[in-house]
Amino acid sequence: MFLVVMEHDESGDGTEPVVRRRVLKAVGLTLAGVLVLGIGTAGWVYWHLNHNIKSVDINGALGDDRPPKAVASPSAAASPLPSGSLNILVLGSDSRSGKANAELGGGDSTGARSDTAMVVHIDEGRTAATVVSIPRDTLVTRPSCPTPSGGTTSVAYGTMFNSAYSLGGPVCAVKTVESLTGVRMDHYLEIDFSGFAKLVNAVGGVTVTTDEDIDDDQSHLHLKAGTHLLDGTHALALARTRHGIGDGSDLGRIGLQQKLVKALLQQISSTSLLTSPAKLYQVADAVTGSLTTDTGLDSLGELTKLGQSLRSLSADHVRTVMMPVVTAPSDANRVVAREPEAGELWASLK
């Protein structure tokens, strides 16, 4: 970039225009350098965030043996942004791999389980949503799942729901949920321990009100009943606690997890991310750094488009429920879907 300004030489010796041109040229080159540096930094940020995301080709692995996709209305198909209904399986993984996860989760560094499972149904128009939690203690029929080696697993009856992820990863988790619900999962999102904690910290913590004291040595959480601003470590502990509340089952924990989801949505919506590039990057890095998606959401562009399509969805219009369950006849410490209520709930999400 060259900036040249021709002005009258009041000195009469012809030196002033030359000096001005040199100064302005230097300024122009400096500005050009800053611009190039900015573009380069933006390019690196995009590359970094894009390469943070891990993905699994679930559609390719499962093929056509799945529930049908929802048919979008003509108005949804004509919208500049996607506006049709969506069903997204969201899993919280208790993976201990990596130093950050090990410090937060402890325990064995091998393997992982789906510690939290939620089916997020977004209504057509994307102004309202329903989040359905599936207790991990639910006994299900786990279908035959493809394995990375090219084989298949055997069908298992009356097995723990979260065994699907342990055995066959995201592909088997999606197939098991679709078998249980009869609902097609349009997308898959998984975030691990450290990613959730980093996200909560990036948005400044979450405010949650507990109705009873929580005293759980296993999750390292000790809270008096009341309202608390929780950092990432304590929010994760709240999401995982089960022995310090209620009867110690997974059902009591689900209520806390649903409170956390709404609190996190409210905090994100109240945080001026667009006016703070540093905070926006911190949030984006926290999310993408611990995220696994299906191949339909495995780029920053696709995630951004999804986020833009949800701009009119507020936390006040997110309903949280749990899949209706009853105690399993075979095991008092396990549950099974309560029918016909569970079937009616899933049918409402198609």
Side-chain angles (χ1 to χ4, degrees):
M1 184 194 309
F2 294 91
L3 299 179
V4 179
V5 179
M6 299 301 294
E7 294 187 4
H8 176 67
D9 180 9
E10 296 179 353
S11 66
D13 60 4
T15 59
E16 187 168 336
V18 174
V19 172
R20 284 183 181 275
R21 283 197 297 270
R22 287 176 177 171
V23 170
L24 292 174
K25 178 180 177 181
V27 172
L29 289 173
T30 301
L31 291 174
V34 170
L35 180 61
V36 169
L37 180 61
I39 293 172
T41 301
W44 179 87
V45 167
Y46 187 91
W47 179 91
H48 173 70
L49 295 176
N50 219 37
H51 281 71
N52 270 347
I53 305 167
K54 300 179 288 294
S55 66
V56 178
D57 186 4
I58 290 173
N59 288 337
L62 294 183
D64 297 326
D65 184 21
R66 306 175 66 186
K69 292 182 179 180
V71 179
S73 68
S75 60
S79 175
L81 281 173
S83 61
S85 63
L86 276 181
N87 288 299
I88 305 173
L89 176 60
V90 179
L91 292 187
S93 165
D94 69 350
S95 169
R96 268 72 168 177
S97 63
K99 182 179 179 181
N101 280 321
E103 290 176 347
L104 289 167
D108 192 348
S109 62
T110 61
R113 295 165 299 177
S114 53
D115 200 58
T116 302
M118 297 179 176
V119 173
V120 179
H121 173 79
I122 303 168
D123 292 354
E124 184 167 322
R126 305 198 178 180
T127 58
T130 301
V131 179
V132 185
S133 295
I134 302 175
R136 74 175 190 178
D137 291 342
T138 304
L139 298 181
V140 300
T141 297
R142 189 183 65 226
S144 174
C145 297
T147 62
S149 61
T152 57
T153 65
S154 300
V155 176
Y157 300 94
T159 190
M160 287 272 286
F161 167 75
N162 66 347
S163 70
Y165 182 91
S166 301
L167 182 71
V171 171
C172 197
V174 169
K175 187 165 186 180
T176 300
V177 169
E178 291 184 343
S179 175
L180 173 68
T181 65
V183 178
R184 172 76 168 242
M185 296 296 111
D186 300 293
H187 291 298
Y188 172 84
L189 290 172
E190 175 191 328
I191 190 165
D192 65 21
F193 276 4
S194 65
F196 177 78
K198 288 177 182 176
L199 175 58
V200 171
N201 286 334
V203 298
V206 290
T207 300
V208 175
T209 300
T210 58
D211 300 323
E212 58 182 292
D213 294 349
I214 298 175
D215 191 18
D216 187 352
D217 290 333
Q218 294 195 30
S219 66
H220 309 293
L221 184 66
H222 304 279
L223 284 179
K224 294 293 185 182
T227 300
H228 305 273
L229 175 63
L230 304 178
D231 64 9
T233 299
H234 288 95
L236 177 62
L238 184 66
R240 300 186 62 227
T241 192
R242 60 186 291 176
H243 301 289
I245 55 170
D247 60 1
S249 73
D250 193 44
L251 305 186
R253 178 173 63 169
I254 283 176
L256 294 177
Q257 291 174 346
Q258 292 176 338
K259 281 187 178 183
L260 273 172
V261 167
K262 298 202 75 169
L264 186 56
L265 288 174
Q266 288 169 340
Q267 183 64 17
I268 290 173
S269 64
S270 66
T271 303
S272 301
L273 296 178
L274 295 180
T275 61
S276 175
K279 184 172 286 292
L280 178 60
Y281 171 77
Q282 188 180 6
V283 171
D285 193 41
V287 172
T288 59
S290 301
L291 193 67
T292 300
T293 73
D294 65 283
T295 49
L297 287 178
D298 64 352
S299 72
L300 201 57
E302 290 298 332
L303 287 173
T304 300
K305 187 186 297 184
L306 174 63
Q308 290 173 335
S309 76
L310 301 177
R311 64 187 182 278
S312 298
L313 176 61
S314 69
D316 293 336
H317 292 92
V318 175
R319 181 172 66 114
T320 56
V321 298
M322 184 179 72
M323 181 183 77
V325 295
V326 294
T327 302
S330 60
D331 189 339
N333 295 316
R334 301 289 180 258
V335 296
V336 293
R338 185 175 76 233
E339 298 298 353
E341 292 87 351
E344 291 169 352
L345 172 62
W346 298 125
S348 71
L349 306 185
K350 293 181 179 179

